[in-house]
Amino acid sequence: MPTQPSELAASLPSAEPTDSEQVLRCLELARIFWEEGQHREAVRALQRGAAAAEEDGNDLRALSLARSAADISAHVGSAASVPPPPVAEA
């Protein structure tokens, strides 16, 4: 799994022919949020897409989107938890 935000962008799920309009909107929002640097919002959009796919009865798609959201969230969360380097005093 990629570890840099630019590499993770390629991990965002693509639309599939079976996706409903709501799932498509969530995927589009996820990509927009990601491009704006709002990575946690992108993950939330993927989670909403997973919920929408589940509501549509597309359980395999829901699982796939939820897994992608969890994988990306793990990397976004670990990157956010790394403390910044110490500032040298002059």
Side-chain angles (χ1 to χ4, degrees):
M1 181 89 188
T3 58
Q4 298 299 317
S6 60
E7 296 171 337
L8 283 169
S11 298
L12 289 173
S14 299
E16 293 186 358
T18 58
D19 289 339
S20 67
E21 285 297 317
Q22 183 156 354
V23 172
L24 292 173
R25 278 193 299 270
C26 291
L27 293 175
E28 182 180 354
L29 278 174
R31 197 156 296 280
I32 290 169
F33 282 133
W34 191 269
E35 290 170 0
E36 292 176 350
Q38 298 181 45
H39 300 147
R40 291 187 193 281
E41 289 301 319
V43 169
R44 286 187 188 102
L46 286 178
Q47 291 168 335
R48 287 191 298 273
E54 184 177 22
E55 289 174 12
D56 296 338
N58 192 344
D59 294 336
L60 289 177
R61 183 61 167 158
L63 180 61
S64 173
L65 293 174
R67 183 178 297 131
S68 292
D71 290 345
I72 293 170
S73 180
H75 287 284
V76 169
S78 65
S81 65
V82 174
V87 177
E89 294 183 28

